[in-house]
Amino acid sequence: MGFEEMRESGDVDTVWMDGEFVDWDDAKIHVLTHGLHYGTGIFEGVRCYDTEDGPAIFRWEEHLDRFYASGKPYNLDIPFDRDELTEATKELIRRQELPSCYIRPVAYYGYDMLGLSPETCPEQVAIAVWPWGAYLGEDALEEGVEVTVSSWRKYASSQIPTNAKTTGPYVNSVLASLEAKREGYTEALLLNEEGNVAEGPGENLFLVRNGEIYTPGLAEGILDGITRNTVITLAREQGYTVHEDATISRGELHTADELFFSGTAAEVTPIRKVDNVVIGEGTRGPVTGDIQQAFFDLVERRTDDHADWFTDVEM
């Protein structure tokens, strides 16, 4: 469902902008906004789940940590504190009566001047929420997706901070995703400048071999994904050995027993083919199935072991 269809169906009609709740159609910025021209913004993608104990935002505190940290390389100081952003997000969910939804906080340099330096531009913040199901498709969670290794490389941390979730550099992901769609694939995989596997356009990657789990380390130029951290924790709790600082070559993709994506949007999604090479048996593998089951059990049932990962939304 697209944004306009959601709005017309009555699911969403309000956005929070710079301390005020505004109508969806009035959530506008100036055409000369610095962030629009130069990509000087930061954002997060967060999910609220309809748990057995009511709506709850998953790992909100960790997302806020990264949100504030992402602004530091750009001297972008978010002019609202954590409590203000938390209450604004909860109120958005309550007003639109969304037991589950996707949450998009974004902060950016606004309109003042159009030189490269944003030092005189205002720091602005907005939050939107909307219903969003399985990012790569409902069938993908069980059947897996087909991906291709992109001709575009993931940028290095010596070029742009890879540990910051910055709006502008996501054009790298857009290019990879567009290329994959043109070639008939669901999603892409990006290699880093050394030719090793980095990540998907909006997902971290996991590889399973001989019952052990491998995922590219932060030194490979990946985003330190919050769902990635969740998967690593859940996998170890289930007794799996996880190598979280792995270097994975392109060729290892084709010989893997299993591959899967993780991410706030993608959640835990199996990969059944890479460049038309069947991975394992071409279906969701047993290890992926275990991790996926543990993940959805967690976000639906809110186990006591990880109660601190949830922020309640009192409807």
Side-chain angles (χ1 to χ4, degrees):
M1 182 182 289
F3 287 121
E4 192 59 25
E5 289 87 350
M6 289 189 299
R7 191 189 66 79
E8 290 178 354
S9 70
D11 287 333
V12 291
D13 57 17
T14 306
V15 174
W16 183 89
M17 293 187 73
D18 296 319
E20 297 182 0
F21 294 95
V22 301
D23 185 79
W24 186 275
D25 289 336
D26 294 329
K28 300 174 182 177
I29 60 174
H30 196 281
V31 70
L32 295 182
T33 293
H34 196 277
L36 176 63
H37 290 258
Y38 302 119
T40 48
I42 57 174
F43 71 99
E44 281 296 319
V46 193
R47 279 192 187 265
C48 175
Y49 285 98
D50 188 10
T51 77
E52 290 182 349
D53 296 322
I57 306 172
F58 185 58
R59 306 207 68 172
W60 176 246
E61 294 301 329
E62 290 85 351
H63 280 285
L64 280 182
D65 288 342
R66 189 171 64 185
F67 191 48
Y68 283 97
S70 290
K72 290 183 177 180
Y74 310 103
N75 295 323
L76 201 167
D77 295 322
I78 297 171
F80 297 92
D81 64 30
R82 299 172 71 99
D83 289 342
E84 289 173 304
L85 295 186
T86 300
E87 185 51 40
T89 302
K90 288 182 177 182
E91 182 60 19
L92 268 179
I93 295 170
R94 285 192 290 260
R95 288 188 180 205
Q96 295 167 112
E97 300 179 344
L98 295 173
S100 64
C101 62
Y102 188 81
I103 304 164
R104 171 53 57 85
V106 59
Y108 54 93
Y109 280 111
Y111 166 65
D112 180 74
M113 59 171 292
L114 211 55
L116 283 173
S117 174
E119 59 186 350
T120 63
C121 296
E123 293 137 333
Q124 297 184 252
V125 186
I127 305 171
V129 301
W130 64 88
W132 204 2
Y135 174 61
L136 297 174
E138 295 292 341
D139 292 342
L141 293 175
E142 181 174 349
E143 298 175 6
V145 295
E146 298 184 12
V147 306
T148 183
V149 175
S150 179
S151 65
W152 298 99
R153 295 292 179 100
K154 175 66 187 287
Y155 54 86
S157 60
S158 60
Q159 299 165 322
I160 301 172
T162 53
N163 60 338
K165 200 169 175 69
T166 315
T167 58
Y170 265 78
V171 70
N172 183 224
S173 295
V174 171
L175 288 168
S177 185
L178 286 173
E179 180 183 54
K181 297 292 194 301
R182 283 196 302 268
E183 295 179 2
Y185 295 94
T186 305
E187 190 59 295
L189 275 172
L190 291 99
L191 307 180
N192 60 24
E193 63 177 1
E194 287 80 25
N196 298 318
V197 177
E199 59 192 1
E203 309 91 359
N204 290 118
L205 176 79
F206 286 83
L207 178 150
V208 180
R209 184 170 57 232
N210 298 327
E212 298 189 0
I213 301 172
Y214 300 78
T215 188
L218 301 186
E220 302 300 324
I222 68 165
L223 180 72
D224 189 7
I226 292 166
T227 308
R228 174 183 180 271
N229 174 271
T230 301
V231 166
I232 291 169
T233 300
L234 294 178
R236 286 175 172 158
E237 288 176 352
Q238 292 199 8
Y240 288 108
T241 298
V242 182
H243 306 271
E244 62 180 291
D245 291 308
T247 296
I248 299 173
S249 69
R250 179 174 182 171
E252 289 178 272
L253 297 172
H254 297 159
T255 59
D257 297 330
E258 304 174 38
L259 296 171
F260 64 90
F261 279 136
S262 74
T264 295
E267 297 170 307
V268 178
T269 299
I271 298 171
R272 67 172 182 264
K273 287 184 180 180
V274 177
D275 290 325
N276 290 320
V277 175
V278 175
I279 305 304
E281 299 299 320
T283 60
R284 178 178 57 194
V287 177
T288 304
D290 284 349
I291 302 303
Q292 191 183 69
Q293 186 64 55
F295 178 81
F296 284 112
D297 283 348
L298 171 67
V299 297
E300 291 167 6
R301 296 186 175 87
R302 296 176 58 175
T303 58
D304 291 340
D305 290 346
H306 299 295
D308 59 335
W309 283 357
F310 295 88
T311 299
D312 289 312
V313 179
E314 302 80 7
M315 301 293 278

